[in-house]
């Protein structure tokens, strides 16, 4: 490498770092926090049939952060595969889209404190599958760019994992008999089942093959915005708002009831 090339690379790195560090200032100057969210994945993010607006648990988390910053919230739909590229390219300021915190992803982006915990399971037609062994040699659907792909391959190496653009497509494949199961995080599966025309025709197997802590994704080195995001999450837990939001979207009166088994705390 020549000295000239080394200087260029150093300048590019410096510019990239400065851009990340300035995101908070940019957000406040712009007056808008742009959040990358899911728009077809209830109850985390989906289009409300009445209002035609994107609503959900992740959207409420983003709204709380925008309120703390004193800016408006703008939503941009992202897929699992596009979450990190959209963030790194600067199209969104942060990602709130059911993203599991992994060491591999942490090499590319920064994560907030964990704000949701779930685990990977399997959604099947009732009575069709009883255990992981029943899926050996069969086809299983999931979403591209998700941790579910690799987890399923490890748990059932003899199965064929088919990756779709999103989970609604994978669920359609289940309906059509193209796959015997859809696998992803239990909270997502519960939402898919709840929105099905006949929820009672499906069940989620008890077997759990992973733990999935969700984090909000930010660009590498975006320390100022990350600090504000983490402060917001901890404050939501302290004042009881985090529990209220969970009950709103996952509590007994929701379409996809789950028990809250976690507390938002500062990561060690």
């Amino acid at each position: 490498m020549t000295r000239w090339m080394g200087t260029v690379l150093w300048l590019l790195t410096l510019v990239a770092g400065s851009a990340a560090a300035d995101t908070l200032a940019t957000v406040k100057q712009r007056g808008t926090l742009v959040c990358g969210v899911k728009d077809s994945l209830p109850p985390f993010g989906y289009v409300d049939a009445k209002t035609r607006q994107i609503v959900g648990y992740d959207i409420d988390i983003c709204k709380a952060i925008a309120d703390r910053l004193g800016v408006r919230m703008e939503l941009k739909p992202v897929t699992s595969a596009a979450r990190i590229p959209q963030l790194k390219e600067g199209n969104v300021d942060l990602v709130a889209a059911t993203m599991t915190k992994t060491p591999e992803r942490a090499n590319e982006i920064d994560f907030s404190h964990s704000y949701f915990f779930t685990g990977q399971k399997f959604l099947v037609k009732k009575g069709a599958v009883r255990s992981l062994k029943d899926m050996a040699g069969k086809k299983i659907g999931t979403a591209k760019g998700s941790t579910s792909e690799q987890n399923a391959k490890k748990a059932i190496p003899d199965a064929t994992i088919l990756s779709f653009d999103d989970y609604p497509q994978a669920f359609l494949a289940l309906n059509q008999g193209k796959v015997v199961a859809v696998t992803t995080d239990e909270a997502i599966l519960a939402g898919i089942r709840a929105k099905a025309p006949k929820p009672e025709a499906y069940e989620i197997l008890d077997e759990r093959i992973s733990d999935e802590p969700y984090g909000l994704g930010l660009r590498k080195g975006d320390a100022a915005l990350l600090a504000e995001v983490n402060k917001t999450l901890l404050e939501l837990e302290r004042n009881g708002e985090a529990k209220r939001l969970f009950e709103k979207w996952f509590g007994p009166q929701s379409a996809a009831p789950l028990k809250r088994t976690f507390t938002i705390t500062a990561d060690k």
Side-chain angles (χ1 to χ4, degrees):
M1 181 185 294
T2 65
R3 178 179 298 178
W4 179 82
M5 291 177 65
T7 301
V8 170
L9 289 174
W10 177 80
L11 288 172
L12 289 174
T13 301
L14 182 62
V15 170
S18 298
D22 288 339
T23 300
L24 178 60
T26 299
V27 166
K28 290 190 174 183
Q29 183 177 19
R30 186 202 304 142
T32 304
L33 177 70
V34 184
C35 300
V37 300
K38 297 289 184 69
D39 66 350
S40 59
L41 203 61
F44 289 97
Y46 65 100
V47 178
D48 182 84
K50 295 181 179 179
T51 66
R52 307 310 301 168
Q53 301 295 313
I54 303 176
V55 299
Y57 180 80
D58 279 342
I59 283 69
D60 283 355
I61 294 292
C62 282
K63 182 64 165 55
I65 296 169
D67 287 347
R68 177 183 176 86
L69 299 179
V71 298
R72 293 179 293 105
M73 175 183 68
E74 179 181 337
L75 304 177
K76 284 193 176 182
V78 296
T79 63
S80 294
R83 291 175 297 200
I84 291 179
Q86 288 288 315
L87 179 64
K88 293 174 71 174
E89 290 168 11
N91 296 325
V92 297
D93 299 316
L94 65 83
V95 171
T98 66
M99 187 157 56
T100 301
K101 299 167 67 170
T102 69
E104 294 77 17
R105 287 172 176 166
N107 286 330
E108 294 189 73
I109 64 174
D110 285 339
F111 279 109
S112 70
H113 297 323
S114 300
Y115 71 100
F116 194 92
F117 288 85
T118 183
Q120 186 172 338
K121 291 190 175 183
F122 296 81
L123 178 68
V124 301
K125 291 182 178 179
K126 184 164 288 186
V129 176
R130 297 187 181 279
S131 69
L132 299 187
K133 293 181 180 179
D134 295 336
M135 290 183 278
K138 305 292 179 60
K139 295 178 180 178
I140 301 171
T142 189
K144 295 177 183 176
S146 66
T147 56
S148 303
E149 289 178 297
Q150 297 304 316
N151 292 340
K153 289 176 182 178
K154 292 177 183 178
I156 315 174
D158 295 334
T160 299
I161 310 302
L162 300 183
S163 297
F164 298 85
D165 287 336
D166 54 38
Y167 292 110
Q169 289 185 23
F171 183 63
L172 178 60
L174 176 63
N175 284 334
Q176 296 173 339
K178 296 179 180 178
V179 299
V180 298
V182 174
T183 184
T184 185
D185 306 334
E186 181 182 13
I188 295 175
L189 294 178
I192 294 173
R193 179 180 180 274
K195 291 294 183 178
K198 295 183 178 180
E200 67 278 4
Y202 305 91
E203 61 184 341
I204 299 174
L205 299 183
D206 290 335
E207 294 181 83
R208 177 171 172 158
I209 63 172
S210 72
D211 292 326
E212 306 291 326
Y214 291 175
L216 303 173
L218 296 89
R219 282 183 287 278
K220 271 290 183 185
D222 214 343
L225 181 57
L226 178 60
E228 291 300 320
V229 168
N230 281 335
K231 288 176 183 177
T232 303
L233 294 176
L234 294 177
E235 180 59 27
L236 291 177
E237 187 65 41
R238 282 193 292 266
N239 64 22
E241 183 66 6
K243 182 179 179 181
R244 189 192 72 78
L245 291 179
F246 183 92
E247 289 294 321
K248 173 183 176 182
W249 297 105
F250 300 96
Q253 305 305 315
S254 69
L258 291 174
K259 182 179 180 181
R260 189 170 192 253
T261 60
F262 65 94
T263 300
I264 299 174
T265 57
D267 293 339
K268 296 180 179 180

